[in-house]
Every structure is written in structure tokens, then in C-alpha cells.
Short mmCIF file of all heavy atoms in Angstrom, two decimals:
data_model
loop_
_atom_site.label_atom_id
_atom_site.label_comp_id
_atom_site.label_asym_id
_atom_site.label_seq_id
_atom_site.Cartn_x
_atom_site.Cartn_y
_atom_site.Cartn_z
N MET A 68 0.85 -1.17 0.00
CA MET A 68 0.00 0.00 0.00
C MET A 68 0.89 1.24 0.00
O MET A 68 1.87 1.30 0.73
CB MET A 68 -0.92 0.01 1.22
CG MET A 68 -1.82 1.22 1.25
SD MET A 68 -2.84 1.42 2.71
CE MET A 68 -3.86 0.01 2.66
N LYS A 69 0.52 2.19 -0.82
CA LYS A 69 1.23 3.47 -0.89
C LYS A 69 0.33 4.55 -0.31
O LYS A 69 -0.88 4.36 -0.17
CB LYS A 69 1.55 3.83 -2.34
CG LYS A 69 2.51 2.90 -3.02
CD LYS A 69 3.89 3.31 -2.67
CE LYS A 69 4.88 2.60 -3.61
NZ LYS A 69 6.20 3.05 -3.41
N ASN A 70 0.94 5.71 0.00
CA ASN A 70 0.13 6.82 0.49
C ASN A 70 0.74 8.16 0.08
O ASN A 70 1.88 8.23 -0.36
CB ASN A 70 -0.04 6.73 2.01
CG ASN A 70 1.24 6.96 2.75
OD1 ASN A 70 1.78 8.05 2.77
ND2 ASN A 70 1.76 5.92 3.39
N ARG A 71 -0.05 9.19 0.23
CA ARG A 71 0.36 10.55 -0.10
C ARG A 71 0.50 11.42 1.16
O ARG A 71 0.40 12.64 1.09
CB ARG A 71 -0.68 11.20 -1.02
CG ARG A 71 -0.77 10.62 -2.40
CD ARG A 71 -1.64 11.44 -3.32
NE ARG A 71 -1.58 12.88 -3.13
CZ ARG A 71 -0.62 13.68 -3.60
NH1 ARG A 71 0.37 13.18 -4.31
NH2 ARG A 71 -0.65 14.98 -3.37
N ILE A 72 0.75 10.81 2.29
CA ILE A 72 0.81 11.56 3.55
C ILE A 72 1.92 12.60 3.52
O ILE A 72 1.70 13.75 3.87
CB ILE A 72 0.97 10.60 4.75
CG1 ILE A 72 -0.19 9.60 4.81
CG2 ILE A 72 1.07 11.39 6.06
CD1 ILE A 72 -1.57 10.22 4.90
N ARG A 73 3.10 12.22 3.11
CA ARG A 73 4.24 13.16 3.09
C ARG A 73 3.93 14.36 2.17
O ARG A 73 4.17 15.51 2.56
CB ARG A 73 5.51 12.46 2.63
CG ARG A 73 6.70 13.41 2.59
CD ARG A 73 7.99 12.69 2.25
NE ARG A 73 8.38 11.91 3.42
CZ ARG A 73 8.99 10.73 3.38
NH1 ARG A 73 9.29 10.18 2.25
NH2 ARG A 73 9.30 10.10 4.49
N GLN A 74 3.37 14.10 1.00
CA GLN A 74 3.07 15.18 0.06
C GLN A 74 1.99 16.11 0.61
O GLN A 74 2.11 17.34 0.51
CB GLN A 74 2.60 14.61 -1.30
CG GLN A 74 3.65 13.84 -2.03
CD GLN A 74 3.69 12.36 -1.68
OE1 GLN A 74 3.24 11.93 -0.62
NE2 GLN A 74 4.26 11.56 -2.57
N GLU A 75 0.95 15.54 1.18
CA GLU A 75 -0.13 16.36 1.75
C GLU A 75 0.38 17.16 2.94
O GLU A 75 0.04 18.34 3.09
CB GLU A 75 -1.32 15.47 2.17
CG GLU A 75 -2.03 14.83 1.02
CD GLU A 75 -2.71 15.80 0.09
OE1 GLU A 75 -3.16 16.87 0.53
OE2 GLU A 75 -2.79 15.49 -1.12
N ARG A 76 1.20 16.53 3.76
CA ARG A 76 1.74 17.23 4.92
C ARG A 76 2.57 18.43 4.48
O ARG A 76 2.47 19.52 5.06
CB ARG A 76 2.59 16.25 5.75
CG ARG A 76 3.09 16.80 7.05
CD ARG A 76 3.77 15.73 7.86
NE ARG A 76 4.89 15.09 7.20
CZ ARG A 76 6.09 15.63 7.03
NH1 ARG A 76 6.33 16.86 7.47
NH2 ARG A 76 7.05 14.96 6.42
N ALA A 77 3.35 18.25 3.42
CA ALA A 77 4.17 19.35 2.90
C ALA A 77 3.29 20.48 2.35
O ALA A 77 3.58 21.66 2.59
CB ALA A 77 5.10 18.84 1.81
N GLU A 78 2.23 20.13 1.64
CA GLU A 78 1.32 21.14 1.10
C GLU A 78 0.65 21.95 2.21
O GLU A 78 0.36 23.12 2.03
CB GLU A 78 0.26 20.49 0.22
CG GLU A 78 0.80 20.01 -1.12
CD GLU A 78 -0.26 19.36 -1.98
OE1 GLU A 78 -1.46 19.69 -1.84
OE2 GLU A 78 0.12 18.52 -2.80
N TYR A 79 0.38 21.31 3.33
CA TYR A 79 -0.26 21.98 4.47
C TYR A 79 0.76 22.61 5.42
O TYR A 79 0.38 23.16 6.45
CB TYR A 79 -1.15 20.99 5.23
CG TYR A 79 -2.51 20.79 4.62
CD1 TYR A 79 -2.67 20.07 3.45
CD2 TYR A 79 -3.64 21.33 5.21
CE1 TYR A 79 -3.91 19.88 2.88
CE2 TYR A 79 -4.90 21.16 4.65
CZ TYR A 79 -5.03 20.42 3.48
OH TYR A 79 -6.27 20.24 2.92
N HIS A 80 2.03 22.48 5.09
CA HIS A 80 3.12 23.04 5.91
C HIS A 80 3.06 22.54 7.35
O HIS A 80 3.21 23.31 8.30
CB HIS A 80 3.10 24.57 5.88
CG HIS A 80 3.14 25.13 4.49
ND1 HIS A 80 4.28 25.10 3.71
CD2 HIS A 80 2.18 25.70 3.73
CE1 HIS A 80 4.01 25.64 2.54
NE2 HIS A 80 2.74 26.00 2.52
N LEU A 81 2.86 21.24 7.49
CA LEU A 81 2.80 20.61 8.80
C LEU A 81 4.06 19.78 9.04
O LEU A 81 4.50 19.06 8.13
CB LEU A 81 1.60 19.67 8.91
CG LEU A 81 0.21 20.28 8.91
CD1 LEU A 81 -0.84 19.18 8.81
CD2 LEU A 81 -0.01 21.10 10.16
N SER A 82 4.59 19.85 10.23
CA SER A 82 5.69 18.95 10.59
C SER A 82 5.09 17.59 10.94
O SER A 82 3.87 17.46 11.14
CB SER A 82 6.46 19.50 11.79
OG SER A 82 5.65 19.43 12.95
N GLN A 83 5.94 16.60 11.02
CA GLN A 83 5.46 15.27 11.42
C GLN A 83 4.85 15.33 12.82
O GLN A 83 3.83 14.72 13.08
CB GLN A 83 6.61 14.27 11.38
CG GLN A 83 7.06 13.95 9.98
CD GLN A 83 8.32 13.13 9.93
OE1 GLN A 83 9.15 13.20 10.84
NE2 GLN A 83 8.49 12.36 8.86
N ALA A 84 5.47 16.09 13.69
CA ALA A 84 4.97 16.22 15.06
C ALA A 84 3.60 16.91 15.10
O ALA A 84 2.71 16.50 15.86
CB ALA A 84 5.97 16.98 15.92
N GLU A 85 3.43 17.95 14.29
CA GLU A 85 2.14 18.66 14.25
C GLU A 85 1.03 17.75 13.73
O GLU A 85 -0.07 17.72 14.29
CB GLU A 85 2.24 19.90 13.37
CG GLU A 85 3.09 21.00 13.98
CD GLU A 85 3.43 22.11 12.99
OE1 GLU A 85 3.55 21.83 11.77
OE2 GLU A 85 3.58 23.26 13.44
N LEU A 86 1.32 17.01 12.68
CA LEU A 86 0.32 16.09 12.15
C LEU A 86 -0.01 15.01 13.17
O LEU A 86 -1.18 14.68 13.39
CB LEU A 86 0.80 15.46 10.84
CG LEU A 86 -0.14 14.45 10.21
CD1 LEU A 86 -1.53 15.04 9.96
CD2 LEU A 86 0.46 13.89 8.93
N ALA A 87 1.02 14.48 13.81
CA ALA A 87 0.81 13.44 14.82
C ALA A 87 -0.10 13.94 15.93
O ALA A 87 -1.03 13.24 16.34
CB ALA A 87 2.16 13.00 15.40
N GLU A 88 0.11 15.17 16.37
CA GLU A 88 -0.72 15.74 17.42
C GLU A 88 -2.17 15.90 16.96
O GLU A 88 -3.10 15.60 17.70
CB GLU A 88 -0.16 17.10 17.85
CG GLU A 88 -0.88 17.69 19.04
CD GLU A 88 -0.23 18.97 19.52
OE1 GLU A 88 1.01 19.04 19.52
OE2 GLU A 88 -0.98 19.89 19.89
N ARG A 89 -2.36 16.34 15.73
CA ARG A 89 -3.71 16.54 15.20
C ARG A 89 -4.51 15.25 15.11
O ARG A 89 -5.73 15.28 15.27
CB ARG A 89 -3.66 17.19 13.82
CG ARG A 89 -3.33 18.64 13.86
CD ARG A 89 -3.56 19.27 12.52
NE ARG A 89 -3.15 20.66 12.52
CZ ARG A 89 -3.47 21.51 11.57
NH1 ARG A 89 -4.20 21.13 10.54
NH2 ARG A 89 -3.06 22.75 11.65
N VAL A 90 -3.84 14.15 14.80
CA VAL A 90 -4.57 12.89 14.64
C VAL A 90 -4.45 11.96 15.84
O VAL A 90 -5.00 10.87 15.85
CB VAL A 90 -4.18 12.15 13.33
CG1 VAL A 90 -4.56 12.98 12.13
CG2 VAL A 90 -2.71 11.77 13.32
N GLY A 91 -3.70 12.37 16.86
CA GLY A 91 -3.63 11.60 18.10
C GLY A 91 -2.73 10.39 18.08
O GLY A 91 -3.05 9.38 18.70
N VAL A 92 -1.62 10.50 17.36
CA VAL A 92 -0.64 9.40 17.34
C VAL A 92 0.75 9.98 17.62
O VAL A 92 0.91 11.19 17.74
CB VAL A 92 -0.63 8.65 15.98
CG1 VAL A 92 -1.99 8.00 15.73
CG2 VAL A 92 -0.24 9.55 14.84
N SER A 93 1.74 9.11 17.69
CA SER A 93 3.11 9.57 17.91
C SER A 93 3.75 10.02 16.60
O SER A 93 3.30 9.64 15.51
CB SER A 93 3.96 8.45 18.52
OG SER A 93 4.16 7.43 17.55
N ARG A 94 4.78 10.80 16.70
CA ARG A 94 5.54 11.23 15.53
C ARG A 94 6.12 10.00 14.82
O ARG A 94 6.16 9.95 13.59
CB ARG A 94 6.65 12.19 15.95
CG ARG A 94 7.43 12.75 14.78
CD ARG A 94 8.49 13.77 15.27
NE ARG A 94 9.65 13.67 14.40
CZ ARG A 94 10.69 12.88 14.58
NH1 ARG A 94 10.78 12.11 15.64
NH2 ARG A 94 11.70 12.86 13.72
N GLN A 95 6.52 9.00 15.57
CA GLN A 95 7.07 7.78 14.99
C GLN A 95 6.03 7.08 14.12
O GLN A 95 6.38 6.50 13.08
CB GLN A 95 7.56 6.84 16.09
CG GLN A 95 8.26 5.60 15.57
CD GLN A 95 9.50 5.93 14.75
OE1 GLN A 95 10.28 6.79 15.11
NE2 GLN A 95 9.68 5.23 13.63
N THR A 96 4.77 7.14 14.49
CA THR A 96 3.72 6.54 13.67
C THR A 96 3.64 7.24 12.32
O THR A 96 3.51 6.60 11.28
CB THR A 96 2.36 6.60 14.40
OG1 THR A 96 2.45 5.83 15.60
CG2 THR A 96 1.23 6.05 13.54
N ILE A 97 3.73 8.57 12.32
CA ILE A 97 3.69 9.33 11.07
C ILE A 97 4.90 8.97 10.20
O ILE A 97 4.77 8.75 8.99
CB ILE A 97 3.63 10.84 11.33
CG1 ILE A 97 2.38 11.22 12.13
CG2 ILE A 97 3.71 11.62 10.02
CD1 ILE A 97 1.06 10.85 11.47
N ILE A 98 6.07 8.85 10.82
CA ILE A 98 7.27 8.45 10.09
C ILE A 98 7.05 7.08 9.45
O ILE A 98 7.34 6.87 8.27
CB ILE A 98 8.50 8.43 11.01
CG1 ILE A 98 8.86 9.86 11.44
CG2 ILE A 98 9.69 7.74 10.34
CD1 ILE A 98 9.86 9.92 12.58
N SER A 99 6.53 6.14 10.22
CA SER A 99 6.29 4.78 9.71
C SER A 99 5.25 4.77 8.59
O SER A 99 5.39 4.02 7.62
CB SER A 99 5.84 3.86 10.84
OG SER A 99 6.88 3.70 11.78
N LEU A 100 4.24 5.60 8.69
CA LEU A 100 3.25 5.72 7.62
C LEU A 100 3.91 6.23 6.35
O LEU A 100 3.71 5.68 5.26
CB LEU A 100 2.15 6.72 8.02
CG LEU A 100 0.97 6.20 8.80
CD1 LEU A 100 0.12 7.37 9.28
CD2 LEU A 100 0.15 5.26 7.96
N GLU A 101 4.68 7.29 6.48
CA GLU A 101 5.29 7.92 5.32
C GLU A 101 6.29 7.01 4.62
O GLU A 101 6.45 7.09 3.40
CB GLU A 101 5.97 9.23 5.72
CG GLU A 101 4.99 10.32 6.08
CD GLU A 101 5.62 11.65 6.41
OE1 GLU A 101 6.87 11.74 6.49
OE2 GLU A 101 4.87 12.61 6.60
N THR A 102 6.94 6.15 5.35
CA THR A 102 7.91 5.23 4.75
C THR A 102 7.28 3.91 4.31
O THR A 102 7.98 3.05 3.77
CB THR A 102 9.08 4.94 5.72
OG1 THR A 102 8.55 4.35 6.91
CG2 THR A 102 9.85 6.21 6.04
N GLY A 103 5.98 3.76 4.54
CA GLY A 103 5.29 2.55 4.11
C GLY A 103 5.49 1.35 5.02
O GLY A 103 5.16 0.23 4.65
N LYS A 104 5.99 1.57 6.22
CA LYS A 104 6.23 0.47 7.15
C LYS A 104 5.03 0.19 8.05
O LYS A 104 5.04 -0.77 8.81
CB LYS A 104 7.45 0.78 8.02
CG LYS A 104 8.73 0.84 7.22
CD LYS A 104 9.90 1.14 8.10
CE LYS A 104 11.17 1.23 7.26
NZ LYS A 104 12.32 1.62 8.05
N TYR A 105 4.02 1.04 7.97
CA TYR A 105 2.85 0.92 8.84
C TYR A 105 1.60 1.16 8.02
O TYR A 105 1.52 2.12 7.26
CB TYR A 105 2.95 1.92 9.98
CG TYR A 105 1.78 1.94 10.92
CD1 TYR A 105 1.60 0.94 11.86
CD2 TYR A 105 0.84 2.97 10.87
CE1 TYR A 105 0.52 0.96 12.73
CE2 TYR A 105 -0.23 3.00 11.74
CZ TYR A 105 -0.39 1.99 12.66
OH TYR A 105 -1.46 2.01 13.52
N ILE A 106 0.62 0.28 8.15
CA ILE A 106 -0.68 0.46 7.51
C ILE A 106 -1.64 0.91 8.60
O ILE A 106 -1.78 0.24 9.63
CB ILE A 106 -1.16 -0.86 6.86
CG1 ILE A 106 -0.19 -1.24 5.74
CG2 ILE A 106 -2.58 -0.70 6.34
CD1 ILE A 106 -0.47 -2.57 5.11
N PRO A 107 -2.27 2.06 8.40
CA PRO A 107 -3.09 2.62 9.47
C PRO A 107 -4.39 1.87 9.70
O PRO A 107 -4.89 1.20 8.79
CB PRO A 107 -3.38 4.04 8.96
CG PRO A 107 -3.42 3.88 7.49
CD PRO A 107 -2.32 2.87 7.19
N SER A 108 -4.92 2.03 10.88
CA SER A 108 -6.26 1.52 11.17
C SER A 108 -7.26 2.35 10.38
O SER A 108 -6.93 3.44 9.87
CB SER A 108 -6.55 1.65 12.67
OG SER A 108 -6.62 3.04 13.02
N THR A 109 -8.46 1.87 10.29
CA THR A 109 -9.52 2.62 9.61
C THR A 109 -9.73 3.97 10.29
O THR A 109 -9.86 5.00 9.63
CB THR A 109 -10.83 1.82 9.61
OG1 THR A 109 -10.60 0.56 8.99
CG2 THR A 109 -11.94 2.56 8.88
N GLU A 110 -9.71 3.97 11.62
CA GLU A 110 -9.90 5.21 12.36
C GLU A 110 -8.82 6.23 12.05
O GLU A 110 -9.11 7.41 11.80
CB GLU A 110 -9.93 4.93 13.86
CG GLU A 110 -10.16 6.19 14.68
CD GLU A 110 -10.18 5.93 16.18
OE1 GLU A 110 -10.11 4.76 16.60
OE2 GLU A 110 -10.27 6.92 16.92
N LEU A 111 -7.57 5.81 12.02
CA LEU A 111 -6.48 6.73 11.73
C LEU A 111 -6.57 7.23 10.29
O LEU A 111 -6.36 8.42 10.02
CB LEU A 111 -5.12 6.08 11.99
CG LEU A 111 -3.89 6.94 11.67
CD1 LEU A 111 -3.96 8.30 12.38
CD2 LEU A 111 -2.63 6.19 12.04
N ALA A 112 -6.89 6.36 9.36
CA ALA A 112 -7.04 6.77 7.96
C ALA A 112 -8.14 7.83 7.83
O ALA A 112 -7.98 8.82 7.10
CB ALA A 112 -7.35 5.56 7.08
N LEU A 113 -9.23 7.65 8.55
CA LEU A 113 -10.31 8.63 8.52
C LEU A 113 -9.90 9.96 9.16
O LEU A 113 -10.26 11.03 8.67
CB LEU A 113 -11.56 8.07 9.20
CG LEU A 113 -12.26 6.94 8.44
CD1 LEU A 113 -13.31 6.26 9.32
CD2 LEU A 113 -12.88 7.47 7.16
N ARG A 114 -9.15 9.90 10.24
CA ARG A 114 -8.65 11.14 10.88
C ARG A 114 -7.72 11.90 9.94
O ARG A 114 -7.80 13.12 9.84
CB ARG A 114 -7.93 10.81 12.18
CG ARG A 114 -8.84 10.40 13.29
CD ARG A 114 -8.06 10.10 14.54
NE ARG A 114 -8.94 9.55 15.54
CZ ARG A 114 -8.72 9.62 16.82
NH1 ARG A 114 -7.62 10.20 17.27
NH2 ARG A 114 -9.56 9.10 17.67
N LEU A 115 -6.84 11.17 9.25
CA LEU A 115 -5.93 11.81 8.30
C LEU A 115 -6.71 12.43 7.14
O LEU A 115 -6.40 13.54 6.71
CB LEU A 115 -4.92 10.79 7.78
CG LEU A 115 -3.87 10.35 8.79
CD1 LEU A 115 -3.20 9.06 8.34
CD2 LEU A 115 -2.84 11.45 9.01
N SER A 116 -7.73 11.72 6.67
CA SER A 116 -8.51 12.26 5.57
C SER A 116 -9.23 13.54 5.98
O SER A 116 -9.37 14.47 5.18
CB SER A 116 -9.51 11.22 5.04
OG SER A 116 -10.56 11.00 5.92
N LYS A 117 -9.64 13.62 7.22
CA LYS A 117 -10.30 14.82 7.72
C LYS A 117 -9.32 16.00 7.80
O LYS A 117 -9.65 17.12 7.41
CB LYS A 117 -10.92 14.55 9.09
CG LYS A 117 -11.78 15.66 9.62
CD LYS A 117 -12.47 15.25 10.90
CE LYS A 117 -13.38 16.37 11.38
NZ LYS A 117 -14.08 15.98 12.61
N VAL A 118 -8.12 15.75 8.29
CA VAL A 118 -7.11 16.81 8.39
C VAL A 118 -6.81 17.39 7.02
O VAL A 118 -6.71 18.61 6.85
CB VAL A 118 -5.80 16.27 9.04
CG1 VAL A 118 -4.66 17.25 8.84
CG2 VAL A 118 -6.02 15.99 10.52
N PHE A 119 -6.67 16.53 6.02
CA PHE A 119 -6.28 16.98 4.69
C PHE A 119 -7.47 17.25 3.76
O PHE A 119 -7.27 17.62 2.61
CB PHE A 119 -5.35 15.94 4.04
CG PHE A 119 -4.05 15.78 4.78
CD1 PHE A 119 -3.64 14.54 5.23
CD2 PHE A 119 -3.24 16.87 5.02
CE1 PHE A 119 -2.44 14.39 5.90
CE2 PHE A 119 -2.03 16.72 5.70
CZ PHE A 119 -1.63 15.49 6.13
N ASP A 120 -8.68 17.05 4.26
CA ASP A 120 -9.90 17.27 3.47
C ASP A 120 -9.83 16.48 2.16
O ASP A 120 -10.08 17.01 1.07
CB ASP A 120 -10.12 18.76 3.20
CG ASP A 120 -11.52 19.05 2.71
OD1 ASP A 120 -12.45 18.30 3.07
OD2 ASP A 120 -11.70 20.03 1.94
N LYS A 121 -9.45 15.22 2.27
CA LYS A 121 -9.35 14.29 1.15
C LYS A 121 -10.07 13.01 1.53
O LYS A 121 -10.24 12.71 2.72
CB LYS A 121 -7.88 13.94 0.84
CG LYS A 121 -6.98 15.09 0.54
CD LYS A 121 -7.07 15.47 -0.90
CE LYS A 121 -6.07 16.59 -1.18
NZ LYS A 121 -6.15 17.06 -2.51
N THR A 122 -10.46 12.24 0.53
CA THR A 122 -11.02 10.93 0.85
C THR A 122 -9.88 9.98 1.22
O THR A 122 -8.71 10.23 0.88
CB THR A 122 -11.79 10.34 -0.36
OG1 THR A 122 -10.86 10.07 -1.41
CG2 THR A 122 -12.89 11.27 -0.84
N VAL A 123 -10.22 8.90 1.87
CA VAL A 123 -9.22 7.90 2.21
C VAL A 123 -8.57 7.36 0.94
O VAL A 123 -7.35 7.17 0.87
CB VAL A 123 -9.84 6.75 3.05
CG1 VAL A 123 -8.87 5.60 3.23
CG2 VAL A 123 -10.29 7.28 4.41
N ASN A 124 -9.37 7.19 -0.12
CA ASN A 124 -8.83 6.68 -1.39
C ASN A 124 -7.90 7.67 -2.05
O ASN A 124 -7.05 7.27 -2.85
CB ASN A 124 -9.96 6.32 -2.35
CG ASN A 124 -10.65 5.03 -1.97
OD1 ASN A 124 -10.10 4.22 -1.23
ND2 ASN A 124 -11.85 4.84 -2.44
N GLU A 125 -8.02 8.94 -1.77
CA GLU A 125 -7.09 9.93 -2.31
C GLU A 125 -5.74 9.90 -1.57
O GLU A 125 -4.73 10.28 -2.12
CB GLU A 125 -7.68 11.33 -2.25
CG GLU A 125 -8.83 11.55 -3.22
CD GLU A 125 -9.49 12.89 -3.04
OE1 GLU A 125 -9.90 13.22 -1.90
OE2 GLU A 125 -9.63 13.61 -4.05
N LEU A 126 -5.76 9.45 -0.32
CA LEU A 126 -4.55 9.40 0.50
C LEU A 126 -3.83 8.05 0.41
O LEU A 126 -2.61 8.00 0.47
CB LEU A 126 -4.86 9.70 1.96
CG LEU A 126 -5.35 11.09 2.30
CD1 LEU A 126 -5.68 11.19 3.77
CD2 LEU A 126 -4.31 12.12 1.92
N PHE A 127 -4.59 6.98 0.29
CA PHE A 127 -4.03 5.63 0.32
C PHE A 127 -4.45 4.87 -0.93
O PHE A 127 -5.59 4.97 -1.36
CB PHE A 127 -4.51 4.86 1.56
CG PHE A 127 -4.10 5.50 2.84
CD1 PHE A 127 -4.92 6.39 3.48
CD2 PHE A 127 -2.86 5.22 3.40
CE1 PHE A 127 -4.54 7.00 4.68
CE2 PHE A 127 -2.47 5.81 4.58
CZ PHE A 127 -3.30 6.71 5.21
N PHE A 128 -3.53 4.11 -1.51
CA PHE A 128 -3.84 3.36 -2.72
C PHE A 128 -2.96 2.12 -2.80
O PHE A 128 -1.87 2.08 -2.22
CB PHE A 128 -3.70 4.22 -3.97
CG PHE A 128 -2.39 4.98 -4.04
CD1 PHE A 128 -1.31 4.45 -4.71
CD2 PHE A 128 -2.26 6.21 -3.40
CE1 PHE A 128 -0.11 5.15 -4.77
CE2 PHE A 128 -1.05 6.90 -3.46
CZ PHE A 128 0.03 6.38 -4.13
N LEU A 129 -3.45 1.14 -3.52
CA LEU A 129 -2.70 -0.11 -3.70
C LEU A 129 -1.72 0.04 -4.84
O LEU A 129 -2.00 0.73 -5.83
CB LEU A 129 -3.66 -1.27 -4.00
CG LEU A 129 -4.62 -1.61 -2.89
CD1 LEU A 129 -5.61 -2.67 -3.38
CD2 LEU A 129 -3.88 -2.10 -1.66
N GLU A 130 -0.57 -0.60 -4.69
CA GLU A 130 0.41 -0.62 -5.77
C GLU A 130 -0.06 -1.57 -6.86
O GLU A 130 -0.70 -2.57 -6.59
CB GLU A 130 1.76 -1.12 -5.24
CG GLU A 130 2.40 -0.17 -4.25
CD GLU A 130 3.73 -0.71 -3.78
OE1 GLU A 130 4.72 -0.45 -4.48
OE2 GLU A 130 3.74 -1.41 -2.76
N ASP A 131 0.28 -1.28 -8.08
CA ASP A 131 -0.08 -2.16 -9.20
C ASP A 131 0.90 -3.30 -9.30
O ASP A 131 2.00 -3.28 -8.96
CB ASP A 131 -0.09 -1.40 -10.51
CG ASP A 131 -1.28 -0.44 -10.55
OD1 ASP A 131 -2.30 -0.74 -9.92
OD2 ASP A 131 -1.16 0.59 -11.22
#
């Protein structure tokens, strides 16, 4: 699974720590998401989509 978290975070001028605080996780979780080492729960994916005003499918997608 791939994601656009790093790109969206950059567009919103958010640090990893700021995003982590907004969605209620650790900075390490955001790092793991961005590097593809962690697949988020449905709840976390929905929280991220709310922060970035994007659908979950716009943030996360399967590799071909």
C-alpha cells in the first residue's frame, strides 16, 4: 500500500509532530506511515482524511 501523507503534509506546511498531534498518534507513527512500514487503522485513515480534506482513497492506494 502506498500513500500521499508526506506530500499532503508538505502542502499543508505541517511537521510530522504537528500532524501526529492533530490525529492523536506519535511522531514515529507518522514516520512509519510515510515510509510505508505501517498500515493505518480505519480510524487513523479517517482522521488523516479529515485533516487533509481528502477521501481515504485519495490518500491511500494499492500498488499495481
